[in-house]
Amino acid sequence: MFRAILPILVRLCCMLPVCAATLQLQAGVAESHEKLLAAILAPAENQPDAIRALIGVEDPAIVPTLTAWRQGELFVHETENGTRTPFLLGTEANEDGALPGRDLFTGKSLVGPDGKNLYFQGWELTALDTTANIRRSITRVIELAGISDVSATVRASSVEKLGQSQNGDYLPVLKLRLDKEQDPVVRPVLLNAIAMIELKVGEEAERLAAIKTLAAAHSLSGVSQFKEMLAQEDKKPRTFSPKVVDALRHAVITIEHYWYWVNFYGNIFRGISLGSVLLVMALGLAITFGLMGVINMAHGELMVVGAYATFLTQNLFIKLFGMESTAFSWYFLVAIPVAFGAASFVGLLLERTIIQFLYKRPLESLLATWGVSLALQQAFRLFFGPANVQINAPFYLQGNFVVHDIIFAYNRVFVVGFAVLVVFAAWLLMNRTPAGLMIRAVMQNRPMASCMGIRTQRVNMLTFAFGSGLAGVAGACLTQLGNVGPSLGQTHIVDCFMVVVAGGVGNILGTVAAALGIGTFDQLLQPVLGAVLGKIIVLVMIILFLQWRPGGLFPTRSRSLD
């Protein structure tokens, strides 16, 4: 008998804490509902105090109800026995044009004594009265309601706004919330908000503690306030004590030093991501120009082919699956091989129709491919229009993560990782496969390779197509970092030639070093000198470097160059 009852007793003991928590929650909700009703139904002279009593009360009905009250959309229904019930109007009118009354807490229709839903005509209703004092009280409650919201994001945003106001009236509420707040993201924001207010209204000890808190948090809003206080001290000396002034100056130096390095490392990361795109694109140019000796001015347009191939792949997935489906987000992984294939095909046509007749004729190849680039740009404008096209980032490339306030965007991290993968694949192909051996043999000594039985024309064709495909892959990556338009290639072709020449013609390691170096220097100089002047300085540095080392970082050594 005892063995049969024991499992039941264990279950009851386990359910007791759950039942107690549920009853406590229901009691809290009922109490908050009573406070809200008391504020609405109180005499007019007592309503402001009753409304302010709602500060800190956690009830999702408070904000919409008070908002409706302030906007004149809250009504009170009084029955024959004197019972007063506040309500909101619904939106579904009946055949007479009357609107249903809705309960404040459940949203259900009000029911009359006969059990039927109550409907009201607009002309027979009078909104609940408001005065200036009532409206001020409502505004204050709504401003403070966000700090007790269920969402941590909403709480953090509301707390930050209250701190920026530096209103001393909010200080007791924020300190009371600090005792309850457990979220690791919201709690530091709450501490900073309290410090911002105490910085203005606190005594000397509180100000010193607030300065220390904001300096430790590296608060940008805090440093702005510190500078305003120091400027005020310069205009009116002895506004603050010497300890406060010294603390302010030290805090400004600390915070600005911290953010200098945050911006510095952030620019380095953005430079590496930009250099990664240049690297993927320049790898193809290192093959076509560095190994084959073809000055292909249409290489940038081959990159645009890959970008537009990504755009078409996206549109195909939209038609097949729709933008809201999960399958749509995988279009980009499909677009990468599609971009490679499309650019390779265009490069193959270019090599078979024009380039094969211009080997060892660099000037003629330069002029011919420049004309091809102009023709491709006009073709892009004809088929896709002159404006930029919209390419949406898939969900796995949206957003970012933060390390010590340095923002790492997922799309840029992906581009860097993808560039590493492409470089490794290109190195394997060129140095660890028979195809790479034949490519290097043909490019170094074409007659000898032909005598050894290598079909040089086929090698030329496939090598140029491979280099063009790498440009298409770079175009696909670039769609996640910037706009896509007909002139996209012209903005990158010069940088790519600089990368190939500065790194050492035909050298993969030199291409990697030059691409990352040029991209990083460009991003470091732009915030200081501006976009145009920064690029000019980078170009001048490359020219001076080539005067010192004409062969680039890693000059090519072969008998054909001796």
Side-chain angles (χ1 to χ4, degrees), residues 323-337:
M323 289 190 63
E324 303 301 326
S325 66
T326 306
F328 165 75
S329 294
W330 301 106
Y331 84 89
F332 185 66
L333 299 181
V334 178
I336 291 176

Side-chain angles (χ1 to χ4, degrees), residues 62-63 66-67 70 137-146 158:
I62 289 177
V63 173
L66 294 183
T67 302
R70 186 173 58 183
S137 300
I138 290 176
T139 300
R140 185 178 179 189
V141 172
I142 292 175
E143 288 176 346
L144 293 171
S158 300

Side-chain angles (χ1 to χ4, degrees), residues 163-164 166 195-197 199-200 214 219-232 240 248 252:
Q164 295 296 331
Q166 293 189 307
M196 284 293 292
I197 297 175
L199 189 64
K200 184 174 183 180
L214 294 172
S219 171
L220 289 174
S221 57
V223 76
S224 300
Q225 187 63 29
F226 296 162
K227 289 181 177 179
E228 290 182 8
M229 294 173 69
L230 288 173
Q232 183 180 354
F240 307 105
L248 288 172
V252 169

Side-chain angles (χ1 to χ4, degrees), residues 451-473:
C451 292
M452 297 298 294
I454 298 176
R455 303 176 65 177
T456 57
Q457 287 191 355
R458 175 176 293 181
V459 171
N460 289 337
M461 178 179 64
L462 295 179
T463 302
F464 196 88
F466 177 68
S468 301
L470 290 179
V473 170

Side-chain angles (χ1 to χ4, degrees), residues 347-407:
L348 189 66
L349 289 179
L350 179 61
E351 197 278 338
R352 287 291 85 191
T353 56
I354 298 176
I355 299 297
Q356 68 165 328
F357 305 110
L358 301 176
Y359 288 119
K360 303 298 182 181
R361 299 165 63 185
L363 182 59
E364 288 86 344
S365 66
L366 185 151
L367 294 174
T369 54
W370 181 54
V372 171
S373 72
L374 296 178
L376 287 175
Q377 289 181 48
Q378 294 304 318
F380 297 147
R381 290 187 176 91
L382 178 64
F383 288 104
F384 299 101
N388 294 333
V389 296
Q390 177 67 33
I391 298 181
N392 299 302
F395 71 90
Y396 45 86
L397 295 183
Q398 297 177 6
N400 56 67
F401 63 94
V402 180
V403 179
H404 295 293
D405 290 315
I406 303 173
I407 299 175

